[in-house]
Amino acid sequence: MGSTAPLSKNDFTQMVSNAVHHTADLNIKSIPPNVTLIYIDTLVDGEVLKNHIIQDLTKSEDPSPESILSSLAIAQVKLSSDFDKIISAMMDGNVLIHVEGNSEVVLASIPTNESRALSAPENESQVIGSQVAFNESLSTNVSLIRRYIKNPNLCNEKVEIGKRSKTTISMLYIKDIASEEMVNTLRQRITDLNVDSVVDSAILEQLINDNTLSIFPQMLLTERPDKLCAELLNGKLGVIVDGSSFAIVCPHSFVEFFQSQEDLNLRWQNASFVRLLRFSAVVLSVFLTPLYVAALTFHYEVIPETLVVPLSESRALVPFPPLLEALLIEIIIELLREAGVRLPTKVGQTIGIVGGIVIGTAAVQAGITSNILIIIVALGALSSFTTPSYMMGNVIRIIRFPLILLAGFWGFYGIMLGLSFILIHLLRQSSLGSPYTAPFYPPRLLDWRDSLVRLPLPFTFKRPSNTRPKNEDKYEPEPVNPEKIEQKVK
């Protein structure tokens, strides 16, 4: 326990001023006969302060901490004499009400509610389903979850992390579904953090995941409340960071990064087709350019006879070997993509479209590259955008380059070496202790029904086994039967 708040008004105000280094937004108001208000005006709601606290205090003739505590019409009011806790509360948006001659200080919580209005998701857009995304307010984000899951078993544990930032985070889970072991593991990882600050959920995710050296994300970042709620109902855990518009979902397997929330809203045939299309696009994005380099460098025999002549004519004027040619075009595509992201929206779209057409056409006409490689690289870049997770999409972009280098040095053997390394690396990963390659390894056949494809809902009534849920059934496994319902009613 820290030092006790002084009895004297002058000593108390001096200590508070020294504690915050006489910051310019510190306000000190005296209210006769013996009350002093201290607060940081950028952190408190000015209207509530003026219309409730100050008015109530001016009406009191002989105030004391106990009488002020009972008279204030504020939801969160408490007493404290611990000076360290008093300063911490002030930094959280509390007004300090000090009464001359008393060591106990009234803490009235009236934090400002300034936050961005709710809007549609920008990175995880969908046609069918909810059109609202998280914002940077922790209370707003938690309230969105509460609106979806109106269940008393939805637990919200608040933890303060960061020695300097004092960031508040909420750990969410459903008590009668989530595994106690996973809850304890996540809680311990968060509370054991010894860092100066955590200003975003993406930073927290890197600090608490299983393998910080891996390029593959082991926890999902989502901006969709409906996505987080669906995962909570599957027995997973969520973490929301104050000031961040993305929530962390864990555990999360490799296959689940290629699944979208909209898959649940579509008919199972459409959802299965879209999922297979995404996985096919990932394979194309990763291996198409390396296969081109390997075939032209070492393995001419695998090229169909009908393509030999067009390829020869296309590369007749190209002065570079296939490896340098492919790396040059891939780097140009990545430069265009990065420039499009960093520039303002309208300018970025123009740069991406016009720049790609102009540079690609000029490169072919100048003989720097072949038109077939332009098509292959463009198809690979387009395929990488089909991944619903932005973090996994970035991984797909990066791992192409080592595979291109391996293909340029050792051909198909190099590609197989790179693929083997990726598979071994994935098999060794875990997410909050859960197998990263589930449900394929270790094999869990029941979970295959909602992995690469999604079977009809009556066949997917079980929660994923990798979360080790307390309650395995999500709903009745049998389809809706009107006769059965009538029998239950009777």
Side-chain angles (χ1 to χ4, degrees), residues 88-284:
S88 178
M90 184 177 68
M91 303 308 296
D92 283 336
N94 283 257
V95 176
L96 312 183
I97 305 175
H98 181 266
V99 180
E100 181 77 24
N102 290 271
S103 62
E104 288 191 319
V105 178
V106 181
L107 308 178
S109 179
I110 53 169
T112 178
N113 293 321
E114 295 177 359
S115 62
R116 178 170 57 92
L118 296 176
S119 60
E122 295 184 3
N123 302 302
E124 300 176 74
S125 59
Q126 63 183 24
V127 178
I128 302 175
S130 173
Q131 301 296 329
V132 65
F134 290 124
N135 64 10
E136 289 76 18
S137 172
L138 178 63
S139 58
T140 302
N141 294 339
V142 174
S143 69
L144 288 174
I145 303 301
R146 292 283 186 189
R147 292 178 187 177
Y148 280 98
I149 306 177
K150 301 175 182 178
N151 192 307
N153 288 316
L154 175 61
C155 298
N156 174 20
E157 296 186 12
K158 284 192 175 182
V159 182
E160 191 177 85
I161 58 176
K163 294 182 292 185
R164 299 187 183 277
S165 64
K166 303 292 184 182
T167 305
T168 303
I169 68 170
S170 285
M171 187 174 73
L172 303 169
Y173 60 92
I174 300 179
K175 183 71 174 179
D176 57 344
I177 299 178
S179 166
E180 288 291 341
E181 182 182 354
M182 287 190 173
V183 172
N184 294 333
T185 300
L186 182 60
R187 184 188 298 119
Q188 182 178 0
R189 290 186 185 182
I190 293 174
T191 54
D192 287 350
L193 288 177
N194 185 15
V195 293
D196 278 353
S197 66
V198 175
V199 296
D200 194 84
S201 56
I203 297 176
L204 179 62
E205 183 269 336
Q206 296 177 60
L207 293 172
I208 63 175
N209 61 21
D210 293 42
N211 184 3
T212 57
L213 299 179
S214 175
I215 189 175
F216 291 93
Q218 294 122 50
M219 298 180 182
L220 176 69
L221 290 178
T222 180
E223 61 177 344
R224 302 194 62 90
D226 55 341
K227 175 69 172 177
L228 177 56
C229 291
E231 300 293 6
L232 291 176
L233 292 170
N234 277 332
K236 297 187 179 183
L237 285 64
V239 179
I240 302 177
V241 179
D242 191 17
S244 175
S245 59
F246 283 83
I248 302 173
V249 179
C250 57
H252 216 65
S253 66
F254 177 75
V255 175
E256 290 174 323
F257 279 98
F258 302 96
Q259 299 174 1
S260 171
Q261 179 62 23
E262 193 174 22
D263 296 346
L264 299 177
N265 303 330
L266 298 174
R267 303 290 295 179
W268 71 272
Q269 299 93 335
N270 297 336
S272 298
F273 171 76
V274 172
R275 283 188 182 180
L276 290 174
L277 185 65
R278 289 195 199 109
F279 286 110
S280 302
V282 170
V283 174
L284 286 176

Side-chain angles (χ1 to χ4, degrees), residues 297-340:
T297 306
F298 297 101
H299 310 283
Y300 285 102
E301 67 276 6
V302 302
I303 303 175
E305 293 182 2
T306 54
L307 286 179
V308 172
V309 175
L311 272 173
S312 301
E313 294 177 349
S314 176
R315 286 191 44 81
L317 300 177
V318 178
F320 307 113
L323 175 60
L324 294 180
E325 178 192 9
L327 288 176
L328 176 63
I329 299 302
E330 287 283 359
I331 291 174
I332 291 175
I333 291 295
E334 293 300 324
L335 287 175
L336 286 173
R337 183 186 300 190
E338 191 67 17

Side-chain angles (χ1 to χ4, degrees), residues 3-14:
S3 59
T4 304
L7 305 178
S8 169
K9 165 192 170 182
N10 294 333
D11 294 341
F12 180 72
T13 55
Q14 186 64 37

Side-chain angles (χ1 to χ4, degrees), residues 355-390:
I357 295 174
V358 171
I359 293 178
T361 304
V364 172
Q365 292 179 351
I368 297 176
T369 183
S370 64
N371 49 16
I372 295 179
L373 180 60
I374 291 291
I375 296 173
I376 291 175
V377 172
L379 183 59
L382 184 64
S383 300
S384 66
F385 286 114
T386 61
T387 306
S389 171
Y390 177 77

Side-chain angles (χ1 to χ4, degrees), residues 39-47 49 90 93-95 108 110-112:
Y39 58 93
I40 296 180
D41 57 10
T42 54
L43 297 179
V44 301
D45 191 327
E47 292 295 324
L49 175 66
M90 184 177 68
N94 283 257
V95 176
I110 53 169
T112 178

